[in-house]
């Protein structure tokens, strides 16, 4: 397939406005704008931006809640030849300070009471959104002159993404790069008249391709207000009210929308999920709830211009859902540490090349050189973006995501990739989504905690069942120490699973309470050893044959366990043996062999303690946490 020629974004929009001036271009809240009104309003605002010092090469900070004026501002920045940066008021103030450090910010478009802006020293001029009326802007813009003539290599937008060092990274994308990203999408999005519902914020680059595809093709862009985006039932009602045909959404948020049958309208022809891993269970639920709508899975870091890879029709029967193949104009290479291609089926780091490689990081040449490297497979001067994502290419040529290189942890000498652990858990038929976080225990190795939601029509499997399942996919060191069922995953403001919120929910379960079903048939030694394990590990999700290191143990905890065993049975077990006798059954068996049998406790196990329940088999699992707030 050849790469479709990209028309400049602003030219494509203005040409459409000339063809269909009265067609509806944008709907948000109570505001509906025709193509002519949106074109004229952006021209009127561009005039104000110029009066406030905005010039080609500078930037405009759009610090507004999701609104029609925010969209007008994006088009106005293009007219002036400036880059826009959308920073909603509830985003961290560090993003605003970073923007002022990273760019020549000419104007901040904000409300008059924005304290983060007014508190800044030497801040650029503030254009008060409170004083702006779109109808008045459109009236003034109808008489405005032509847009600035700037090259397509000029920056179109600056967007921030979190940095591993805690300092946000400002990614610069050119006008031509964004246009190249938009151009080929008709092969997936279609060309029929459409109403695009973007379940995303303007500060999230995931919505930009859909937005400009809509504007360049005469479609209608439907945006939720901040409240509608926070409340999934209201967003679903918005889709029904306007008979949306396209929905672009993050997988975690899409699960919320599919939770209740009938929430989304059957007018939907296409749902695009992007920004997170798409699971087979999500594809199956989509097919069940919306059999008439296609599903597409897009992939792409911020540095590769919205998305660079797509799987247009994922198979729900697949063990893992691929991220697919590159869009026309993009290249994808799975390479080893020496930038050599790995064989198909092998895992390596994913590098993206072609038209989808961003300019780089704003005013950070060192960071840019580290991640944007020379392309050994392309023409002179070509670059690759080093994604930091692990991937493999299957026999069909489709790419599969296998987690992050920086989501690796080292546990007892073994490198463990959190994405692989999540994929293993999600392969269980009763699990929909899994998110694994690391919890520092003060020992030599982190502890892995798996949060999970159940697949539709299922209850969460108990910990022993999940552990048995995961042993078919993972080494012992990669087995989570705890499995915590959730009613729903907490979401970040961008609609993704909120790992920070989950880390704060890591349960601190004190010893005590229920014992596994059937423990009344255990020997006295088995019960006594099991109690010591529960005390040392800090949880009771342990069976007779569970591996000590697979349920959260480490070498420091071995020392603690040994001291307890030696206090009860002095000299009977040597510390070094515990690295071989790694189950309750093995340790209790060795003790029985050396000191003789011990009568079982006639009183039997205690009743289950508060906050715990017993599953149909295996040990108790903690009571399901209180439902996470429905808001994003």
């Amino acid at each position: 397939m050849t790469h479709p020629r990209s028309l400049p974004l602003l030219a494509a929009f203005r040409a459409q406005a000339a063809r269909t001036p009265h067609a509806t271009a944008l709907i948000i809240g109570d505001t509906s704008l025709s193509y002519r009104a949106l074109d004229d309003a952006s021209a009127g605002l561009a005039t104000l931006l110029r009066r406030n010092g905005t010039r080609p090469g500078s930037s405009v900070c759009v610090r507004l809640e999701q609104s029609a004026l925010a969209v007008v501002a994006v088009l106005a920045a293009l007219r002036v030849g400036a880059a826009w940066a959308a920073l909603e008021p509830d985003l961290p103030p560090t993003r605003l300070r970073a923007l002022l450090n990273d760019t020549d910010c000419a104007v901040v478009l904000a409300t008059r009471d924005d304290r983060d802006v007014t508190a800044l020293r030497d801040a650029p001029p503030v254009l008060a959104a409170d004083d702006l009326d779109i109808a008045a802007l459109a009236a003034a813009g109808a008489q405005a002159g032509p847009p600035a003539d700037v090259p397509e290599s000029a920056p179109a937008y600056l967007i921030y993404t979190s940095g591993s060092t805690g300092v946000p990274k400002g990614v610069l994308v050119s006008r031509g790069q964004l246009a190249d990203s938009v151009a080929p999408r008709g092969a997936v999005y279609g060309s029929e008249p459409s109403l695009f519902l973007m379940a995303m914020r303007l500060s999230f680059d995931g919505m930009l391709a859909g937005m400009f595809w809509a504007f360049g093709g005469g479609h209608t862009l439907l945006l939720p207000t901040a409240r509608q985006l926070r409340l999934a039932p209201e967003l679903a009602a918005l889709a029904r009210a306007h008979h949306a045909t396209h929905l672009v959404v993050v997988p975690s948020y899409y699960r919320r929308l599919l939770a209740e049958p009938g929430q989304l309208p059957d007018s939907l022809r296409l749902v695009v999920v992007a920004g997170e891993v798409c699971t087979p269970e999500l594809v199956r639920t989509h097919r069940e709830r919306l059999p008439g709508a296609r599903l597409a899975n897009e992939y792409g870091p911020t540095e590769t211009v919205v998305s660079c890879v797509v799987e247009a029709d994922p198979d729900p029967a697949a063990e893992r859902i691929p991220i697919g193949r590159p869009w026309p104009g993009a290249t994808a290479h799975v390479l080893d540490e020496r930038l050599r291609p790995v064989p198909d089926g092998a895992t390596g780091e994913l590098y993206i090349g072609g038209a989808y490689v961003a300019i780089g990081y704003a005013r950070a040449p060192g960071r840019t050189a580290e991640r944007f490297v020379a392309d050994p497979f392309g023409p002179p001067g070509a670059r690759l973006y080093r994604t930091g994502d692990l991937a493999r290419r299957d026999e069909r040529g489709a790419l599969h995501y296998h987690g992050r290189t920086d989501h690796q942890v080292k546990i007892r000498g073994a490198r463990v990739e959190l994405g692989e652990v999540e994929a293993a858990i999600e392969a269980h038929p009763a699990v929909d989504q899994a998110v694994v976080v690391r919890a520092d225990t003060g020992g030599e190795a982190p502890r892995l905690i798996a949060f999970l939601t159940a697949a539709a029509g299922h209850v969460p499997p108990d910990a022993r069942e999940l552990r048995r399942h995961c042993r078919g996919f993972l080494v012992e060191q990669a087995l989570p120490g705890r499995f915590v069922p959730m009613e729903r995953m907490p979401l970040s403001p961008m609609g993704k699973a909120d790992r920070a919120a989950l880390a704060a929910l890591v349960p601190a379960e004190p010893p005590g309470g229920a014992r596994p079903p059937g423990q009344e048939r255990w020997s006295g030694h088995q019960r006594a050893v099991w109690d010591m394990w529960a005390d040392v590990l800090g949880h009771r999700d342990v069976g007779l044959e569970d591996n000590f290191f697979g349920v959260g143990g480490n070498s420091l905890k071995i020392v603690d366990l040994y001291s307890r065993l030696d206090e009860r049975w002095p000299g009977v077990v040597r510390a070094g043996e515990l690295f071989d006798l790694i189950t309750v059954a093995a340790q209790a068996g060795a003790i029985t062999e050396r000191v003789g049998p011990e009568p079982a406790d006639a009183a039997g196990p205690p009743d289950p303690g508060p906050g715990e329940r017993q599953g149909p088999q295996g040990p108790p699992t903690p009571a399901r946490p209180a439902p996470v707030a429905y808001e994003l």
Side-chain angles (χ1 to χ4, degrees):
M1 181 182 295
T2 59
H3 179 208
R5 184 178 180 183
S6 58
L7 189 66
L9 298 172
L10 186 59
F13 165 69
R14 298 196 70 215
Q16 187 61 49
R19 284 193 298 270
T20 58
H22 303 296
T24 302
L26 173 67
I27 301 172
I28 179 168
D30 297 329
T31 301
S32 176
L33 296 179
S34 69
Y35 270 85
R36 174 177 289 170
L38 183 56
D39 187 27
D40 288 347
S42 66
L45 183 54
T47 300
L48 292 180
L49 293 177
R50 288 191 189 95
R51 289 176 184 168
N52 282 270
T54 308
R55 297 290 182 267
S58 63
S59 64
V60 176
C61 177
V62 183
R63 192 172 161 85
L64 300 174
E65 292 281 1
Q66 191 112 302
S67 63
L69 183 60
V71 176
V72 169
V74 166
L75 294 171
L78 282 175
R79 282 179 172 272
V80 178
W84 78 82
L87 304 175
E88 280 93 345
D90 61 344
L91 291 179
T94 53
R95 300 287 172 98
L96 178 58
R97 288 194 291 270
L99 171 67
L100 300 182
N101 290 332
D102 290 345
T103 68
D104 176 17
C105 183
V107 176
V108 178
L109 181 59
T111 58
R112 199 178 293 105
D113 60 354
D114 190 327
R115 295 180 181 178
D116 289 333
V117 175
T118 56
L120 289 172
R121 295 181 179 178
D122 302 321
V126 176
L127 188 57
D130 320 61
D131 300 332
L132 301 179
D133 176 76
I134 290 180
L137 290 173
Q143 308 302 321
D149 185 13
V150 295
E152 286 299 283
S153 58
Y157 66 91
L158 176 81
I159 194 159
Y160 279 94
T161 182
S162 297
S164 57
T165 62
V167 179
K169 298 180 293 185
V171 181
L172 272 173
V173 174
S174 77
R175 299 159 73 105
Q177 287 163 345
L178 181 55
D180 284 341
S181 177
V182 171
R185 293 175 186 266
V188 174
Y189 294 179
S191 57
E192 302 171 31
S194 304
L195 193 148
F196 276 70
L197 171 55
M198 313 295 297
M200 295 174 175
R201 292 175 164 214
L202 191 58
S203 58
F204 184 27
D205 65 326
M207 75 169 288
L208 294 179
M211 181 173 85
F212 281 103
W213 173 259
F215 287 161
H219 310 294
T220 300
L221 178 68
L222 175 62
L223 292 184
T225 62
R227 174 185 169 83
Q228 288 168 331
L229 187 56
R230 283 195 299 267
L231 301 173
E234 291 200 14
L235 188 128
L238 180 69
R240 293 194 304 271
H242 292 278
H243 307 289
T245 62
H246 290 58
L247 171 65
V248 183
V249 64
V250 174
S252 288
Y253 192 56
Y254 191 40
R255 288 182 175 89
R256 298 272 179 93
L257 296 171
L258 292 175
E260 297 295 331
Q263 280 204 109
L264 291 171
D266 57 12
S267 58
L268 282 169
R269 301 196 302 263
L270 174 69
V271 175
V272 177
V273 292
E276 280 184 331
V277 172
C278 175
T279 65
E281 175 60 28
L282 181 60
V283 179
R284 287 191 288 268
T285 305
H286 164 83
R287 292 275 185 94
E288 176 188 328
R289 298 279 198 266
L290 293 169
R294 291 184 297 113
L295 182 73
N297 181 33
E298 292 187 6
Y299 159 89
T302 299
E303 292 85 345
T304 61
V305 192
V306 186
S307 74
C308 53
V309 175
V310 62
E311 177 73 3
D313 191 18
D315 180 3
E319 183 176 304
R320 299 180 69 139
I321 301 301
I323 55 176
R325 296 170 177 79
W327 285 107
T331 63
H333 306 275
V334 183
L335 308 177
D336 64 14
E337 64 279 358
R338 296 186 180 180
L339 297 186
R340 299 174 302 189
V342 303
D344 288 354
T347 300
E349 186 171 353
L350 182 60
Y351 288 72
I352 300 299
Y356 290 64
V357 181
I359 296 172
Y361 299 119
R363 292 186 180 171
R367 276 174 141 180
T368 299
E370 181 183 333
R371 305 301 296 186
F372 295 81
V373 300
D375 183 355
F377 314 102
R383 297 178 306 153
L384 295 175
Y385 174 67
R386 182 182 182 182
T387 67
D389 291 336
L390 297 171
R392 68 173 176 85
R393 185 175 273 108
D394 65 20
E395 65 281 356
R396 300 182 301 110
L399 292 163
H400 292 251
Y401 173 80
H402 282 266
R404 292 281 303 163
T405 57
D406 53 9
H407 280 178
Q408 287 181 342
V409 293
K410 203 164 188 178
I411 301 180
R412 297 184 306 281
R415 289 191 179 277
V416 174
E417 168 55 54
L418 299 187
E420 289 296 301
V421 181
E422 292 166 352
I425 299 169
E426 288 169 350
H428 191 289
V431 174
D432 178 16
Q433 184 182 18
V435 178
V436 177
V437 301
R438 56 178 289 167
D440 292 320
T441 61
E444 64 179 23
R447 183 179 174 200
L448 300 185
I449 310 294
F451 295 86
L452 59 113
T453 57
H458 294 266
V459 296
D462 64 39
R464 291 187 68 193
E465 163 63 21
L466 285 169
R467 208 166 276 125
R468 281 195 295 268
H469 163 79
C470 288
R471 283 198 176 100
F473 299 87
L474 304 171
V475 297
E476 286 288 341
Q477 295 95 321
L479 292 177
R482 292 292 307 277
F483 294 87
V484 182
M486 305 285 288
E487 289 282 0
R488 58 179 66 89
M489 288 291 175
L491 303 186
S492 72
M494 296 304 178
K496 298 183 180 182
D498 191 336
R499 290 180 180 272
L502 289 172
L505 293 175
V506 169
E509 185 181 338
R515 299 185 181 190
Q519 205 184 62
E520 66 277 2
R521 297 187 295 275
W522 291 8
S523 71
H525 287 147
Q526 287 174 334
R527 289 192 198 177
V529 171
W530 184 91
D531 282 337
M532 294 178 191
W533 276 43
D535 288 343
V536 168
L537 295 171
H539 70 85
R540 306 175 75 80
D541 294 338
V542 178
L544 280 179
E545 300 297 336
D546 282 326
N547 185 313
F548 182 77
F549 297 106
V551 292
N554 56 45
S555 58
L556 290 180
K557 291 183 178 181
I558 279 281
V559 174
D560 187 4
L561 178 62
Y562 168 72
S563 67
R564 295 168 189 261
L565 292 169
D566 193 58
E567 181 179 356
R568 176 76 177 268
W569 297 287
V572 172
V573 179
R574 300 188 308 276
E577 288 184 290
L578 298 184
F579 288 93
D580 297 314
L581 302 173
I582 54 175
T583 66
V584 169
Q587 292 173 12
I591 293 167
T592 299
E593 196 176 286
R594 297 167 191 179
V595 303
E598 178 174 321
D601 182 3
D607 293 330
E612 295 192 302
R613 59 177 174 84
Q614 293 189 2
Q617 56 180 332
T621 55
R624 181 173 291 172
V628 178
Y630 209 65
E631 288 80 5
L632 281 169

